[in-house]
Amino acid sequence: MTWNSRIGVAEALDAAGWTGDTLDPRGMLKHPDSKAVWAVVNETGGCALDLPTVGATVPFPAKIPDSVVIAACLAAAGQLDPNQDRVELEERTAWLGCLESAGLDNWPGVDVAREIRNEREASR
C-alpha cells in the first residue's frame, strides 16, 4: 500500500480548500485558516492530522477508513457541513463508536473532539 491509498482523503481535502506543499502537493495538505495539517506518514497508508493550535497530532493507521480521516480533518478545521446526508453522519458516528470501543479513544485529539461536540450540542 502506498500513499495513493489515501488519494480519496487528499481529493476531499483539496476540494474543501486545503492547500498542498509545492514539492508534494497531495501528500501533505494544510488548511489556510485553522493551520491544521494532514499528511501521509508511511508507505502502508498511515496518515496523521497535526493540530498546531492545540499542540496535538492525531495518527491514523492504514486500517482507519478514509471517511473517518476526512471527517476528523474537516471537524478540526471547522468545515463539517451540518446539512450533510444523515446516513453518512450516522456511519461516521458508528465508526467513531467502534474506535472508542476498541480503545482508540486515548489519542490526544479525543478530548478536543469531545469539547467540540459538547459546544455544538450546547449551542443547539
Side-chain angles (χ1 to χ4, degrees):
M1 188 180 295
T2 67
W3 84 268
N4 288 325
S5 65
R6 292 296 190 176
I7 193 73
V9 176
E11 289 174 346
L13 296 181
D14 184 54
W18 293 52
T19 57
D21 182 293
T22 54
L23 298 176
D24 190 8
R26 292 293 192 115
M28 183 174 83
L29 297 171
K30 182 176 183 178
H31 186 262
D33 299 327
S34 71
K35 307 302 181 212
V37 176
W38 170 82
V40 176
V41 295
N42 60 44
E43 294 175 357
T44 64
C47 60
L49 175 62
D50 186 40
L51 306 168
T53 58
V54 296
T57 298
V58 183
F60 295 100
K63 64 184 176 181
I64 304 298
D66 284 357
S67 61
V68 173
V69 176
I70 293 165
C73 292
L74 294 179
Q79 291 183 289
L80 276 183
D81 181 359
N83 297 319
Q84 285 179 329
D85 184 22
R86 182 178 175 191
V87 174
E88 184 180 339
L89 292 176
E90 288 173 354
E91 181 182 337
R92 289 177 183 174
T93 300
W95 267 110
L96 293 175
C98 291
L99 290 172
E100 286 183 347
S101 296
L104 297 178
D105 62 341
N106 59 355
W107 47 273
V110 75
D111 293 329
V112 174
R114 287 181 178 140
E115 287 177 22
I116 292 169
R117 183 185 65 199
N118 291 338
E119 288 174 8
R120 288 185 179 170
E121 287 180 2
S123 66
R124 287 184 181 178

